[in-house]
Amino acid sequence: MAHDQLHRYLFENYAVRGELVTVNDTYQRILTNHDYPAAVQTLLGEMLVATSLLTATLKFSGDITVQLQGDGPLKLAVINGNHRQQMRGVARLQGDIPSGSSLKEMVGNGYLVITITPTEGERYQGVVGLDGDTVAECLESYFQQSEQLPTRLFIRTGEHDGELKAAGMLLQVLPAQDADRHDFEHLTQLTTTVKAEELFTLPATEVLYRLYHQEEVTVYEPQDVEFHCHCSRDRCANALMTLSDQEVNEMIEQDGEIDMHCDYCGTHYSFNSLDIRAIRQESSRNLLH
């Protein structure tokens, strides 16, 4: 595939829907400018795939955040996405994380938080215990408990042609329909056989044919997935205006300028005394109007 895409598909003879996503370029962009341990890189790839798949199950306009936090050496890992499949992510460490560390070894006592913020309507937050050994297992448990929707996630991360890649699939019983348990298990068994290399290298239609060539499957138009950071100079300026004049002046006096750094994309925004004066004047004009 030329770029990252999400494909939705539907089984004609079963009340089950599916998704297939590749996020290789987006994954690379998230890892750029960071020197994460291998286990954290893998975890971020899994979370990125899961967030994209989750976003596609929601019929809404807005943002979704999937966040891991705990008291282990991995303090925080978060992926932000939206209905346009624009993704970004970051991790924060507070200790060493050896290669091969498990989810629980990284996070310690912690939990997974899913926050959905619609453009219109109320914000929703679900807290998921780390009952499973993987992000996929934790999310499957969440769907079973909170949504009563049998759901399976198949996430693959790894190295191919010298680059880290990530992709995955989702199967879910259609809401308000009662799929036969044996039908869902049958489709699950077929999907479990998908290989990482197939997801990393083959077109989605070929992967789906290899898995389900004896089933009737409708594949819909794909949606592009991309890295996108929402940071901007204006947002940083607005954040500075929430501080007192004294705090801002002290930072300027100490370093000659204020350097604000975006953890997600690595962009730096610098503000000197002239910039701060202009921002304050603009803020005053806005207040007068």
Side-chain angles (χ1 to χ4, degrees):
M1 287 183 193
H3 49 269
D4 297 342
Q5 287 188 322
L6 178 122
H7 289 76
R8 295 172 176 85
Y9 57 97
L10 189 66
F11 294 95
E12 293 300 319
N13 299 321
Y14 308 111
V16 177
R17 65 183 175 190
E19 299 166 12
L20 185 156
V21 71
T22 55
V23 291
N24 300 324
D25 294 340
T26 309
Y27 186 26
Q28 290 295 328
R29 289 289 304 277
I30 285 174
L31 297 181
T32 299
N33 300 320
H34 297 283
D35 187 23
Y36 296 129
V40 175
Q41 292 182 343
T42 299
L43 180 62
L44 282 172
E46 293 173 357
M47 291 177 67
L48 174 61
V49 171
T51 304
S52 176
L53 293 170
L54 285 182
T55 305
T57 68
L58 303 169
K59 292 184 178 178
F60 83 117
S61 294
D63 299 309
I64 182 171
T65 299
V66 176
Q67 179 173 308
L68 273 168
Q69 56 191 65
D71 62 3
L74 178 66
K75 182 180 180 181
L76 173 78
V78 59
I79 299 289
N80 296 131
N82 60 28
H83 64 282
R84 294 185 292 274
Q85 289 292 328
Q86 296 173 325
M87 303 285 168
R88 64 178 187 167
V90 73
R92 294 196 180 101
L93 282 61
Q94 56 187 6
D96 294 331
I97 298 178
S99 181
S101 294
S102 69
L103 176 62
K104 288 174 183 174
E105 286 170 342
M106 285 189 278
V107 180
N109 295 312
Y111 42 87
L112 186 70
V113 182
I114 301 169
T115 306
I116 298 166
T117 310
T119 307
E120 296 179 5
E122 292 187 10
R123 183 169 172 262
Y124 166 81
Q125 193 166 71
V127 179
V128 185
L130 300 184
D131 301 325
D133 294 328
T134 64
V135 169
E137 289 178 10
C138 294
L139 289 171
E140 288 168 358
S141 175
Y142 163 77
F143 271 105
Q144 189 61 49
Q145 293 170 17
S146 66
E147 308 289 338
Q148 280 79 54
L149 282 177
T151 304
R152 287 296 309 273
L153 289 96
F154 310 85
I155 299 175
R156 305 286 186 262
T157 61
E159 191 170 309
H160 182 80
D161 286 343
E163 287 190 345
L164 288 174
K165 296 185 180 293
M169 300 180 70
L170 175 145
L171 289 181
Q172 187 175 71
V173 171
L174 290 170
Q177 297 196 40
D178 190 19
D180 183 275
R181 180 170 61 87
H182 296 293
D183 291 342
F184 189 68
E185 287 178 358
H186 165 64
L187 296 174
T188 295
Q189 289 303 317
L190 294 178
T191 313
T192 300
T193 64
V194 71
K195 297 180 176 63
E197 188 173 1
E198 292 176 309
L199 287 173
F200 297 161
T201 62
L202 297 178
T205 50
E206 187 169 338
V207 174
L208 295 176
Y209 179 77
R210 288 187 178 199
L211 294 174
Y212 312 124
H213 58 272
Q214 293 183 320
E215 312 296 339
E216 287 188 46
V217 181
T218 299
V219 184
Y220 298 96
E221 279 295 310
Q223 183 177 8
D224 289 344
V225 183
E226 64 176 354
F227 176 87
H228 179 75
C229 190
H230 311 294
C231 74
S232 69
R233 188 171 179 82
D234 286 344
R235 286 193 175 201
C236 290
N238 290 336
L240 285 174
M241 287 303 95
T242 65
L243 303 176
S244 70
D245 287 354
Q246 182 180 345
E247 287 177 288
V248 174
N249 291 342
E250 286 175 355
M251 286 189 281
I252 292 283
E253 287 171 11
Q254 182 175 333
D255 299 315
E257 65 177 14
I258 298 172
D259 180 33
M260 301 182 74
H261 172 257
C262 176
D263 287 343
Y264 287 97
C265 67
T267 303
H268 286 264
Y269 299 96
S270 296
F271 299 87
N272 58 30
S273 57
L274 293 175
D275 296 324
I276 296 299
R277 187 185 307 162
I279 293 167
R280 285 172 177 163
Q281 288 172 350
E282 181 66 24
S283 179
S284 298
R285 279 197 295 271
N286 291 337
L287 287 173
L288 290 172
H289 289 89

